[in-house]
Amino acid sequence: MGGSSFGKAFQITTFGESHGSGIGVVIDGCPSGVNLDMEYIQQQLTRRKPGQSSITTQRKENDEVKILSGALNNVTTGAPIMMWIGNLDQRSHDYDHIKSVFRPSHADFTYYKKYGIRDHRGGGRSSARETAARVAGGSVAQHICNKVGAKITAYVSSIGTLQTTKTYQELDLSTIDDNIVRCPDQALAATMIKAVEDARDDGNTIGGCVTCVIENSPIGLGEPVFDRLEADLAKAMLSINAVKGFEVGSGFAGSTMLGNQHNDQFQIDADENISTKTNYSGGIQGGISNGMPIYFKVAFKPTSTIMKQQDSIDAEGKNTTILGKGRHDPCVVPRAVPIVEAMAALVMADHILRNQTSNIDSIT
Amino acid sequence: MGGSSFGKAFQITTFGESHGSGIGVVIDGCPSGVNLDMEYIQQQLTRRKPGQSSITTQRKENDEVKILSGALNNVTTGAPIMMWIGNLDQRSHDYDHIKSVFRPSHADFTYYKKYGIRDHRGGGRSSARETAARVAGGSVAQHICNKVGAKITAYVSSIGTLQTTKTYQELDLSTIDDNIVRCPDQALAATMIKAVEDARDDGNTIGGCVTCVIENSPIGLGEPVFDRLEADLAKAMLSINAVKGFEVGSGFAGSTMLGNQHNDQFQIDADENISTKTNYSGGIQGGISNGMPIYFKVAFKPTSTIMKQQDSIDAEGKNTTILGKGRHDPCVVPRAVPIVEAMAALVMADHILRNQTSNIDSIT
Amino acid sequence: MGGSSFGKAFQITTFGESHGSGIGVVIDGCPSGVNLDMEYIQQQLTRRKPGQSSITTQRKENDEVKILSGALNNVTTGAPIMMWIGNLDQRSHDYDHIKSVFRPSHADFTYYKKYGIRDHRGGGRSSARETAARVAGGSVAQHICNKVGAKITAYVSSIGTLQTTKTYQELDLSTIDDNIVRCPDQALAATMIKAVEDARDDGNTIGGCVTCVIENSPIGLGEPVFDRLEADLAKAMLSINAVKGFEVGSGFAGSTMLGNQHNDQFQIDADENISTKTNYSGGIQGGISNGMPIYFKVAFKPTSTIMKQQDSIDAEGKNTTILGKGRHDPCVVPRAVPIVEAMAALVMADHILRNQTSNIDSIT
Amino acid sequence: MGGSSFGKAFQITTFGESHGSGIGVVIDGCPSGVNLDMEYIQQQLTRRKPGQSSITTQRKENDEVKILSGALNNVTTGAPIMMWIGNLDQRSHDYDHIKSVFRPSHADFTYYKKYGIRDHRGGGRSSARETAARVAGGSVAQHICNKVGAKITAYVSSIGTLQTTKTYQELDLSTIDDNIVRCPDQALAATMIKAVEDARDDGNTIGGCVTCVIENSPIGLGEPVFDRLEADLAKAMLSINAVKGFEVGSGFAGSTMLGNQHNDQFQIDADENISTKTNYSGGIQGGISNGMPIYFKVAFKPTSTIMKQQDSIDAEGKNTTILGKGRHDPCVVPRAVPIVEAMAALVMADHILRNQTSNIDSIT
């Protein structure tokens, strides 16, 4: 029983390997009549693609997306949408040196043990390249979010130990792409970039965090008790390569608080707008969105491919060493920004569709 | 499209409200021939039930579980297993004072907005009582884990700002239930209990964290790219009431590290046992278990029912205040230990079953 | 991976055995705000229950249904609905004589081989008693159909070789329950009843067919290419015990026709109502309802329990004979009428909910 | 919520339109290590492709299949398998005459009403071309069946009113492809071919039936109570374009029989092989395979595109007429043989995988 699909009402299935002919995604359940903004979709892929700046891998990919089914003149028809991203750069000889060695903290060992087959060419299916297909699918999902006015924005909030002290409200989220590390705390961004460059120059890698905010979410999204909105967001984020943690609203800090500090008291203003005075809940209560901004944070470990000698074992079970070669990505976090947005959009679109049938009054 | 089911191969569906006649769970996909240890199952429920100690709610429930289908002489038959836990204490008059007020940080407001109906009696479906059904289902799942030797252990690792500095390896996990706060750091446990008592006596609540360790997991569990083992664990944990965060292996701290620090180098010993020198991966690489211990941490916010006056609004949209009455649970974290174990067991059982068909060689 | 659930948006899960304490169903995904007509629900169960007439089994069951969750004052809350039907008549000693013999054409042999366990008490899970839970769930689904005006009516169209020559349009469907065999061809009904009595008196059983008509279906139900409306109806019907065949619209007879005979030509009348001149399509084209009446026919074999000596084998693999004892049902077809209606309602409700998200214009 | 996926453990998702760049299928859940017989896969597609004989449509397609992911040197890796069949012949101008008219008994009207969009080019998604993707997926599923020895064979058993009187046991199933109508009753085949030619020459179409036999099925396939083996086969078959009926074992004829005629009595021979003396059950009892041959019959209506003038309406709701142009397929039944085999293989593979976890003893 495979695990290549995500979502129930708005469902994507991804396929393809990093060094085959390409990768892709099939979207099933997208409503008809969606006017696809191809420029936006391509832009999100471009924000994810390797080689986009001096602090990402220099592997070259155009990541040009084509829609091969499910749309007529860029309007969705209700049929499954297949999006294809051809692979340009298939230099699999870069990987010959690891043909018989398991790279530390990569998926080599576990894939080999589970499937009995070693597709060493760039990690095959476990490569971060697969996330391009998610970005493609997520950028279509974004159109569903747009229909109800929900706005999803992610940015880098920490690189290594460098963490912005500002909340998302204190930051100008329109400036995220003004620097290559995608941190809207412009004062901190330069230092972050330097940290990534240092890691890169040392043949090393560095981790970091992405924060995501969803403004103007409809009230009522989330299906208790298991498909709570935050549960599906958590799964979405932990399904991304290199993610080690997720927190929503007050998160881990919330666990150190007392109830009277943490409770979000309701208020209503003269215009009858209901809000909460604080938002430790992160816009979700009882698993369902309450209309306040949803925000969460995702932790990325430093990626595993480093240009340093490490101990390992080979397929014959002998101790050996491995030394990275070729191109490596010193920090995946800036490129993870559109991936986080895409996965969030997929969760939101799925729950927007699911919520259409919550009450009998709206059934026609 | 409801959200009351969890798992794909080993699937549970829970039902029931806190103040109806009872709650229950249906398990579909449990293999036949499982000899159910009824004493263990009841014991897990007893570890979760309210009123078990001076630092939990004094609401009285026996939480006695009955198996009403799917087993013959306590051996599973392959048919769906229905487990029923009758409600004993249905004092819904305790809730009359909140009939028309939305309790801050509860699910009252969002349920009302989503479903158009207010079942004010104890939170109805959103009550933590629902988790008893999960513990019932999870304790059956535990039998599948036992078949392959996997051992799941959870404990309280922090209460408020009081956090054990010891790793799970440094703690004696056999002593978890030796104190009522379920922290195996015995030196810290008394202080933690005091912190909960202080919150209780002040009509307040306090948060905390649960750490969970899965030892001796088979290699190969997890289905990339979306049903990665850590993604399903994250969803499982975030689906529990009051949870605000999840981290696996190095977690958020991992995001502050460099690649050469974080990578888990492989080694093989004289007996041909493969292991990693460190375990920042938390036993999962590329979404698949690698045989090392799986460990993760779950953050619980302080629960929302407090005995203090708070601002709120009523169903008519007027500003008002609310003052808690009746029984309240000053700290849900000790009772969450068996819930975390149950949800972890459900994920593991699901993936153990799913992994049976990974390779054509084992198909008969 | 169990098979106890049916439906995707409106989903039921049934559980329970014929000789345990009872059987039940959990409905997940039912919209909130549905005002349940408890009298109708009980009536459908009563139409299915054994002992209702001289031509059904004399096994006594009240089949009294209770709603144990998901409704408040008989209005659905959006939470999972659990319905319970206690078993009254658990005379399992009736089955002692078959403890070690596999009854011909029953599920004894296959359940034993699949699950390794023999629950001989009345067939356990494979008993037709399980269908009571479907009728309970289906009668809730019927409320969703009512919301959009769809009307589902089933009746007996043949018993053995006695088959009505009238189409559903030529019959007065309000008279179905005027006779105990539930055939609205009143002239034929008496002969049918006699045929069942003859089989009964001979310790034998007899088969027959149920025809079902769905009038006033909304246009647009069905999700190509696999969840076509007729495909889901076929699955629903073939999942009922003793069903051997399904045909929709022209059915098997349609396979003998030419295209120019079979095509349903469109027409529009002065009031702009679109219809087809004929309806060989059975109200479904391309897997989607077209607004014309949906009709289909379901074939039931004679049930397997007969009061005659038959050859068989025992659990030790020896040839033996078996002679039926106790009560038997000479003809299940009249009791199958509400079961067919229930399964049809489940399919329709599921597709009504799924169709809410077909077009982006209606997403809010 | 889309309907483009089929199967739970071995799951396919198809995509693509008849007049886009191509069609395809993603298989998720296929075990690793399957050595794909590319020649067999292509052969099954060639048996389905148009233009293969004088009695099928003359539309030209190579139907050449490429595997674009999930296999390394034609061995499955456990990753999702994407198979692509490019469209060669995209003469959409053939369809301009129907741009604004709904073709009788086609999917034009219902797709338009459901999705609000008219993709008139050859039926778009509702075209029979989509079944090529099923044949691709099904031919991979066939490899799972091969692993357990199950053999699936379909053939044409009737064309119009011409029906073979021989059972599958009386026919030489190795001769199915010896004639272009794929009927192993060689004496009847020539007459059948003549009947199709007559329809073709008259600009008409003709229906027929396909019979399918599954020999040597493992005992134990099927998941009661809803995912019974015959229920999933019924859904699979009714999901094929133009199918109006399905019967398994005794089928509709079984509904005319008495219990003592219909029951399949067990016997055991000297070699301890268990069998039934008759096989009216069609190899399935209680929803689970019993080891006897599984056989079923599928009814296909005459296809809707005819070269004759018919009444219809246009998109503006005016009465009009339509006259078919271009190529048409006088009889789809011979080409349906590999489609029926493919859908049967998908059901069997799914249930073979699901059955691996039926009993705890085999869980490792």
Side-chain angles (χ1 to χ4, degrees):
Chain A
M1 208 189 157
S4 304
S5 297
F6 185 82
K8 293 188 177 174
F10 188 100
Q11 185 173 61
I12 65 164
T13 304
T14 69
F15 58 86
E17 287 87 26
S18 57
H19 286 75
S21 54
I23 60 167
V25 61
V26 180
I27 305 171
D28 200 25
C30 183
S32 65
V34 178
N35 205 328
L36 296 174
D37 180 345
M38 293 308 298
E39 201 172 334
Y40 167 75
I41 295 172
Q42 185 59 56
Q43 180 192 3
Q44 284 294 83
L45 279 156
T46 300
R47 292 176 83 210
R48 193 216 71 92
K49 79 171 180 181
Q52 65 182 263
S53 81
S54 59
I55 59 169
T56 71
T57 172
Q58 295 307 299
R59 180 180 155 123
K60 288 284 185 305
E61 290 287 355
N62 280 339
D63 282 3
E64 192 187 338
V65 67
K66 287 179 192 162
I67 298 191
L68 297 188
S69 76
L72 193 59
N73 305 324
N74 291 336
V75 176
T76 62
T77 63
I81 300 164
M82 198 279 251
M83 305 172 87
W84 174 258
I85 304 160
N87 286 337
L88 192 67
D89 188 2
Q90 306 183 22
R91 275 196 278 167
S92 61
H93 52 84
D94 270 10
Y95 296 90
D96 284 349
H97 66 292
I98 55 156
K99 200 165 181 173
S100 60
V101 186
F102 298 117
R103 291 170 296 169
S105 289
H106 270 271
D108 300 346
F109 176 74
T110 52
Y111 269 66
Y112 176 68
K113 285 288 183 179
K114 184 178 183 73
Y115 299 116
I117 281 183
R118 180 77 192 279
D119 185 358
H120 67 282
R121 302 162 308 160
R125 181 70 178 152
S126 69
S127 163
R129 178 145 185 75
E130 182 271 336
T131 58
R134 303 181 182 207
V135 172
S139 63
V140 173
Q142 182 64 62
H143 290 72
I144 313 296
C145 301
N146 290 345
K147 178 65 164 60
V148 300
K151 185 159 182 278
I152 300 169
T153 314
Y155 61 87
V156 172
S157 51
S158 73
I159 293 289
T161 55
L162 301 166
Q163 181 173 348
T164 179
T165 55
K166 296 181 179 163
T167 65
Y168 73 87
Q169 296 98 326
E170 297 165 343
L171 293 165
D172 179 355
L173 300 186
S174 71
T175 69
I176 292 168
D177 279 17
D178 288 358
N179 59 68
I180 56 176
V181 80
R182 294 208 170 90
C183 175
D185 187 340
Q186 302 296 338
L188 189 60
T191 323
M192 284 176 165
I193 292 168
K194 179 69 167 53
V196 179
E197 288 171 343
D198 287 351
R200 178 195 63 194
D201 297 346
D202 190 35
N204 215 340
T205 58
I206 188 166
C209 288
V210 171
T211 294
C212 184
V213 189
I214 306 175
E215 294 168 291
N216 202 28
S217 165
I219 301 177
L221 305 189
E223 302 294 328
V225 293
F226 294 108
D227 298 346
R228 297 162 70 105
L229 191 58
E230 70 270 50
D232 279 357
L233 286 169
K235 169 157 180 168
M237 298 306 144
L238 266 293
S239 79
I240 302 173
N241 286 15
V243 170
K244 306 302 287 181
F246 169 87
E247 58 179 13
V248 60
S250 62
F252 278 89
S255 74
T256 67
M257 295 168 73
L258 297 172
N260 66 332
Q261 301 166 326
H262 194 279
N263 277 1
D264 296 319
Q265 301 184 44
F266 287 105
Q267 60 189 357
I268 191 160
D269 68 15
D271 295 334
E272 304 221 324
N273 295 313
I274 297 169
S275 62
T276 57
K277 298 181 181 182
T278 50
N279 185 17
Y280 292 113
S281 298
I284 306 173
Q285 290 174 332
I288 299 170
S289 62
N290 69 357
M292 295 293 290
I294 298 163
Y295 62 98
F296 56 87
K297 194 165 150 184
V298 187
F300 291 80
K301 67 165 191 174
T303 45
S304 308
T305 301
I306 57 176
M307 302 293 105
K308 292 175 176 291
Q309 182 159 312
Q310 299 173 86
D311 290 341
S312 190
I313 54 169
D314 60 23
E316 284 73 42
K318 303 284 180 205
N319 285 310
T320 180
T321 60
I322 181 170
L323 178 62
K325 271 199 232 175
R327 301 149 303 189
H328 88 296
D329 207 341
C331 185
V332 80
V333 190
R335 289 175 56 207
V337 165
I339 305 172
V340 167
E341 289 176 346
M343 293 307 301
L346 287 165
V347 171
M348 291 294 287
D350 194 41
H351 280 283
I352 289 165
L353 297 189
R354 292 176 71 173
N355 194 40
Q356 302 300 309
T357 58
S358 291
N359 197 289
I360 191 70
D361 292 340
S362 63
I363 305 300
T364 55
Chain B
M1 209 190 157
S4 304
S5 296
F6 186 81
K8 293 188 177 173
F10 188 100
Q11 185 174 61
I12 65 164
T13 304
T14 70
F15 57 88
E17 287 87 24
S18 58
H19 285 73
S21 55
I23 60 168
V25 61
V26 179
I27 306 170
D28 199 25
C30 183
S32 65
V34 178
N35 206 328
L36 297 173
D37 180 344
M38 293 308 298
E39 200 173 333
Y40 167 76
I41 294 171
Q42 186 57 55
Q43 179 193 2
Q44 284 294 83
L45 279 156
T46 300
R47 292 176 82 208
R48 193 217 71 94
K49 79 170 180 181
Q52 64 182 264
S53 80
S54 59
I55 59 169
T56 71
T57 173
Q58 295 307 300
R59 179 180 155 123
K60 288 284 185 305
E61 290 286 355
N62 279 339
D63 282 4
E64 191 187 339
V65 67
K66 286 180 194 162
I67 298 190
L68 297 188
S69 76
L72 193 59
N73 304 324
N74 292 336
V75 176
T76 62
T77 63
I81 301 164
M82 198 278 250
M83 305 172 86
W84 174 257
I85 304 160
N87 287 337
L88 193 66
D89 188 1
Q90 307 183 22
R91 275 196 280 167
S92 60
H93 51 83
D94 270 10
Y95 297 90
D96 284 349
H97 65 293
I98 55 157
K99 200 165 181 171
S100 60
V101 186
F102 299 117
R103 293 170 293 170
S105 289
H106 270 272
D108 299 347
F109 176 74
T110 53
Y111 268 66
Y112 176 69
K113 286 287 185 180
K114 183 178 185 74
Y115 299 115
I117 280 183
R118 181 76 192 277
D119 185 357
H120 67 282
R121 303 162 308 161
R125 180 71 178 151
S126 69
S127 162
R129 177 144 185 76
E130 182 271 336
T131 57
R134 303 181 182 207
V135 172
S139 64
V140 173
Q142 183 64 62
H143 290 72
I144 313 296
C145 301
N146 290 345
K147 178 66 163 59
V148 301
K151 185 158 182 279
I152 300 169
T153 313
Y155 60 89
V156 171
S157 51
S158 73
I159 292 290
T161 55
L162 301 166
Q163 182 173 349
T164 180
T165 55
K166 295 182 178 162
T167 65
Y168 73 87
Q169 296 99 325
E170 296 164 344
L171 293 164
D172 179 356
L173 300 186
S174 71
T175 69
I176 292 167
D177 279 16
D178 288 359
N179 59 67
I180 57 176
V181 82
R182 292 207 171 92
C183 175
D185 187 340
Q186 301 297 339
L188 189 61
T191 322
M192 284 175 165
I193 292 168
K194 180 69 166 54
V196 178
E197 288 170 343
D198 287 350
R200 179 196 62 196
D201 296 346
D202 190 36
N204 215 339
T205 57
I206 189 167
C209 289
V210 171
T211 294
C212 183
V213 189
I214 307 174
E215 294 168 291
N216 201 27
S217 166
I219 300 176
L221 305 188
E223 301 294 330
V225 291
F226 294 108
D227 298 347
R228 296 161 70 105
L229 191 58
E230 70 270 51
D232 278 357
L233 286 168
K235 168 155 182 170
M237 298 306 144
L238 266 293
S239 79
I240 302 173
N241 286 15
V243 170
K244 306 302 287 181
F246 169 87
E247 58 179 13
V248 59
S250 62
F252 278 89
S255 74
T256 67
M257 294 169 72
L258 297 172
N260 66 332
Q261 300 166 327
H262 194 279
N263 278 1
D264 296 319
Q265 301 184 44
F266 286 105
Q267 60 189 357
I268 191 160
D269 68 13
D271 295 334
E272 307 221 322
N273 294 314
I274 298 169
S275 63
T276 58
K277 297 181 180 181
T278 51
N279 184 17
Y280 291 114
S281 299
I284 306 174
Q285 290 174 332
I288 300 170
S289 62
N290 68 357
M292 295 293 289
I294 298 164
Y295 63 97
F296 55 87
K297 194 165 150 183
V298 187
F300 291 81
K301 68 165 190 173
T303 46
S304 309
T305 301
I306 59 176
M307 302 293 106
K308 293 174 175 292
Q309 182 161 312
Q310 300 173 86
D311 291 341
S312 188
I313 55 169
D314 61 23
E316 284 73 43
K318 304 283 181 207
N319 286 308
T320 181
T321 60
I322 181 169
L323 178 62
K325 270 199 233 174
R327 302 149 303 188
H328 88 298
D329 206 341
C331 185
V332 80
V333 191
R335 289 175 56 206
V337 166
I339 304 171
V340 167
E341 289 175 346
M343 292 308 300
L346 287 165
V347 171
M348 290 295 286
D350 194 40
H351 280 283
I352 290 165
L353 297 189
R354 292 175 72 173
N355 194 40
Q356 303 299 309
T357 57
S358 291
N359 197 288
I360 191 69
D361 292 340
S362 63
I363 304 300
T364 55
Chain C
M1 207 188 158
S4 303
S5 297
F6 186 82
K8 293 190 176 174
F10 189 99
Q11 184 174 62
I12 64 163
T13 304
T14 69
F15 58 87
E17 288 87 25
S18 58
H19 285 74
S21 55
I23 61 168
V25 61
V26 180
I27 305 171
D28 199 26
C30 184
S32 65
V34 178
N35 206 326
L36 296 174
D37 180 344
M38 293 308 297
E39 202 173 331
Y40 167 75
I41 294 171
Q42 185 58 55
Q43 179 192 3
Q44 285 293 82
L45 279 157
T46 300
R47 291 177 83 209
R48 194 217 70 94
K49 80 171 178 180
Q52 64 182 264
S53 81
S54 59
I55 58 167
T56 71
T57 172
Q58 295 308 302
R59 180 179 154 123
K60 289 284 184 305
E61 290 286 355
N62 280 339
D63 282 5
E64 193 188 337
V65 66
K66 287 180 192 162
I67 298 190
L68 298 188
S69 75
L72 194 59
N73 305 323
N74 292 336
V75 176
T76 62
T77 62
I81 301 165
M82 198 280 251
M83 304 172 88
W84 172 258
I85 304 160
N87 287 337
L88 193 66
D89 188 2
Q90 307 183 22
R91 274 196 279 166
S92 59
H93 51 83
D94 270 8
Y95 295 90
D96 284 350
H97 65 293
I98 55 156
K99 200 165 182 173
S100 61
V101 186
F102 299 118
R103 291 172 295 170
S105 288
H106 270 272
D108 299 347
F109 176 75
T110 52
Y111 268 67
Y112 177 69
K113 285 289 185 179
K114 184 177 183 75
Y115 299 115
I117 280 183
R118 180 78 191 277
D119 185 357
H120 67 282
R121 303 162 308 161
R125 181 69 177 152
S126 70
S127 164
R129 179 146 186 75
E130 182 270 337
T131 58
R134 302 181 183 207
V135 172
S139 62
V140 173
Q142 183 64 63
H143 291 72
I144 313 296
C145 302
N146 290 344
K147 178 66 163 60
V148 299
K151 185 158 181 279
I152 300 169
T153 314
Y155 61 89
V156 172
S157 51
S158 74
I159 293 289
T161 55
L162 301 166
Q163 182 173 349
T164 180
T165 56
K166 295 180 179 161
T167 65
Y168 73 87
Q169 296 99 325
E170 297 164 345
L171 293 165
D172 180 355
L173 300 185
S174 71
T175 69
I176 291 167
D177 279 16
D178 288 358
N179 59 67
I180 57 176
V181 80
R182 292 205 173 93
C183 175
D185 187 341
Q186 301 297 338
L188 189 61
T191 322
M192 284 175 165
I193 292 168
K194 179 69 167 52
V196 179
E197 288 170 343
D198 287 350
R200 178 196 63 196
D201 296 346
D202 190 36
N204 215 340
T205 57
I206 189 166
C209 288
V210 171
T211 294
C212 185
V213 189
I214 306 174
E215 293 168 290
N216 201 28
S217 165
I219 301 176
L221 305 187
E223 301 293 330
V225 293
F226 293 109
D227 298 347
R228 296 163 70 105
L229 191 57
E230 70 270 51
D232 278 357
L233 286 169
K235 168 154 181 169
M237 298 306 143
L238 265 293
S239 80
I240 302 173
N241 287 15
V243 171
K244 307 301 287 180
F246 169 86
E247 58 179 12
V248 61
S250 62
F252 278 89
S255 73
T256 68
M257 294 169 74
L258 297 172
N260 66 332
Q261 300 167 327
H262 194 278
N263 277 2
D264 296 320
Q265 301 184 45
F266 287 105
Q267 60 189 357
I268 191 159
D269 68 14
D271 295 335
E272 304 219 325
N273 295 314
I274 296 168
S275 63
T276 57
K277 297 182 181 181
T278 51
N279 186 17
Y280 292 113
S281 298
I284 306 173
Q285 290 174 331
I288 300 170
S289 61
N290 68 358
M292 296 292 290
I294 298 163
Y295 63 97
F296 57 86
K297 196 165 149 185
V298 187
F300 291 81
K301 69 163 190 174
T303 45
S304 308
T305 301
I306 58 176
M307 302 293 105
K308 292 174 178 293
Q309 181 160 314
Q310 300 173 85
D311 291 341
S312 190
I313 55 169
D314 61 23
E316 283 74 42
K318 304 284 180 206
N319 285 309
T320 180
T321 60
I322 181 169
L323 178 62
K325 271 199 233 175
R327 301 148 304 188
H328 88 297
D329 208 341
C331 185
V332 80
V333 190
R335 290 175 55 206
V337 165
I339 304 171
V340 167
E341 289 176 346
M343 293 306 302
L346 288 164
V347 171
M348 291 294 287
D350 194 41
H351 280 283
I352 290 164
L353 297 188
R354 292 176 71 173
N355 194 40
Q356 302 300 309
T357 57
S358 291
N359 197 289
I360 190 70
D361 292 341
S362 63
I363 304 301
T364 56
Chain D
M1 208 189 158
S4 304
S5 297
F6 185 81
K8 294 189 176 172
F10 188 100
Q11 186 173 60
I12 64 164
T13 303
T14 68
F15 57 88
E17 288 87 24
S18 58
H19 286 73
S21 55
I23 60 167
V25 61
V26 179
I27 305 170
D28 199 25
C30 183
S32 65
V34 178
N35 205 327
L36 296 175
D37 179 345
M38 294 308 297
E39 200 174 332
Y40 167 76
I41 294 171
Q42 186 58 56
Q43 179 193 2
Q44 284 293 83
L45 279 156
T46 300
R47 292 177 82 209
R48 193 216 70 93
K49 80 170 178 180
Q52 64 182 264
S53 80
S54 59
I55 57 168
T56 71
T57 173
Q58 295 307 301
R59 181 180 154 123
K60 290 283 185 305
E61 289 287 356
N62 280 339
D63 283 4
E64 192 187 338
V65 66
K66 287 180 192 163
I67 298 190
L68 298 187
S69 75
L72 193 59
N73 304 324
N74 292 335
V75 176
T76 62
T77 62
I81 300 164
M82 198 279 250
M83 305 171 88
W84 174 258
I85 304 161
N87 287 337
L88 192 66
D89 187 3
Q90 307 183 22
R91 275 196 278 166
S92 60
H93 51 83
D94 270 8
Y95 296 90
D96 283 350
H97 65 294
I98 55 157
K99 200 164 181 173
S100 61
V101 186
F102 298 118
R103 291 171 295 170
S105 289
H106 270 273
D108 299 347
F109 176 74
T110 52
Y111 269 67
Y112 177 69
K113 285 289 184 178
K114 184 178 183 75
Y115 300 115
I117 280 183
R118 181 76 192 277
D119 186 358
H120 67 282
R121 304 163 307 161
R125 181 68 178 153
S126 69
S127 163
R129 178 146 186 75
E130 182 270 337
T131 57
R134 302 181 183 206
V135 172
S139 63
V140 173
Q142 183 63 63
H143 290 73
I144 313 296
C145 301
N146 290 344
K147 179 64 164 60
V148 300
K151 185 157 181 278
I152 300 170
T153 314
Y155 61 89
V156 172
S157 50
S158 74
I159 293 290
T161 56
L162 301 166
Q163 182 173 351
T164 181
T165 56
K166 296 181 179 163
T167 64
Y168 73 87
Q169 296 99 327
E170 296 164 345
L171 293 165
D172 179 356
L173 301 185
S174 71
T175 69
I176 292 168
D177 279 15
D178 288 359
N179 58 68
I180 57 177
V181 81
R182 292 205 173 93
C183 175
D185 187 340
Q186 302 295 340
L188 190 60
T191 321
M192 284 176 166
I193 292 168
K194 180 67 168 54
V196 178
E197 288 170 342
D198 287 350
R200 179 196 63 196
D201 297 345
D202 190 36
N204 215 340
T205 57
I206 188 166
C209 288
V210 171
T211 293
C212 185
V213 189
I214 307 174
E215 294 168 291
N216 201 28
S217 165
I219 301 177
L221 305 188
E223 301 293 330
V225 292
F226 293 109
D227 297 347
R228 297 162 69 105
L229 191 58
E230 70 270 50
D232 278 357
L233 286 169
K235 168 154 183 172
M237 297 307 143
L238 266 293
S239 79
I240 301 173
N241 286 16
V243 171
K244 306 302 288 180
F246 169 86
E247 58 179 12
V248 60
S250 62
F252 278 89
S255 74
T256 68
M257 294 168 73
L258 297 173
N260 66 332
Q261 300 166 327
H262 194 278
N263 277 2
D264 297 319
Q265 301 184 43
F266 286 105
Q267 60 189 358
I268 191 161
D269 68 14
D271 294 336
E272 304 220 325
N273 295 314
I274 297 170
S275 62
T276 58
K277 297 181 182 182
T278 51
N279 186 16
Y280 292 112
S281 299
I284 306 173
Q285 290 174 332
I288 300 170
S289 62
N290 69 357
M292 296 292 291
I294 297 163
Y295 63 98
F296 56 86
K297 194 164 150 185
V298 187
F300 291 81
K301 68 164 190 175
T303 45
S304 307
T305 301
I306 57 176
M307 302 294 106
K308 292 174 177 293
Q309 182 160 314
Q310 301 174 87
D311 290 341
S312 189
I313 55 170
D314 61 22
E316 284 73 42
K318 304 283 181 208
N319 285 309
T320 183
T321 59
I322 182 169
L323 178 63
K325 271 198 232 174
R327 300 150 304 188
H328 88 298
D329 207 340
C331 186
V332 79
V333 191
R335 290 175 56 205
V337 165
I339 305 171
V340 167
E341 288 176 346
M343 293 306 302
L346 287 164
V347 172
M348 291 293 288
D350 194 40
H351 280 283
I352 289 165
L353 297 188
R354 292 175 71 174
N355 194 39
Q356 302 300 310
T357 57
S358 292
N359 196 290
I360 191 69
D361 292 340
S362 63
I363 305 301
T364 54

